[in-house]
Amino acid sequence: AISLVAEGNPTPEPLRGWRGFGGAAPDACALGGTWKLMFTDAADATFRKGRRGAATTFQEVDAKDGWFVNCVDFAGPDSKLKGFRVFVEGEALSGT
């Protein structure tokens, strides 16, 4: 999906196909798939290093059903918290 987005960047309608938005099939939405998060300043995914160990962050995006899940997994073998998920569902209000 990343190369699909890069080829059309800036994408004039990044949400085209999101739940069928714009009359396009969901598989036309360049956002669908799994994305490794290289950077985030989201409050639910920023934290100090500690006993949880290194964190891996990624996002699962389902353009057909119109949701994404922010995922954080911790590598610490002694951590009581192995990771968490934040589920978000929505509809496209515009193409941008």
Side-chain angles (χ1 to χ4, degrees), residues 15-30 63-64:
L15 292 174
R16 181 171 167 76
W18 182 265
R19 285 186 151 171
F21 181 78
D27 61 357
C29 184
K64 178 178 175 266

Side-chain angles (χ1 to χ4, degrees), residues 10-73:
T11 305
E13 289 188 295
L15 292 174
R16 181 171 167 76
W18 182 265
R19 285 186 151 171
F21 181 78
D27 61 357
C29 184
L31 301 176
T34 300
W35 296 81
K36 180 177 181 180
L37 300 178
M38 303 300 288
F39 170 82
T40 183
D41 62 358
D44 64 353
T46 55
F47 31 80
R48 291 173 292 191
K49 290 182 181 176
R51 289 182 288 174
R52 290 181 295 255
T56 302
T57 58
F58 60 100
Q59 191 173 59
E60 296 282 345
V61 181
D62 185 317
K64 178 178 175 266
D65 292 329
W67 55 258
F68 63 90
V69 180
N70 290 330
C71 306
V72 178
D73 290 333

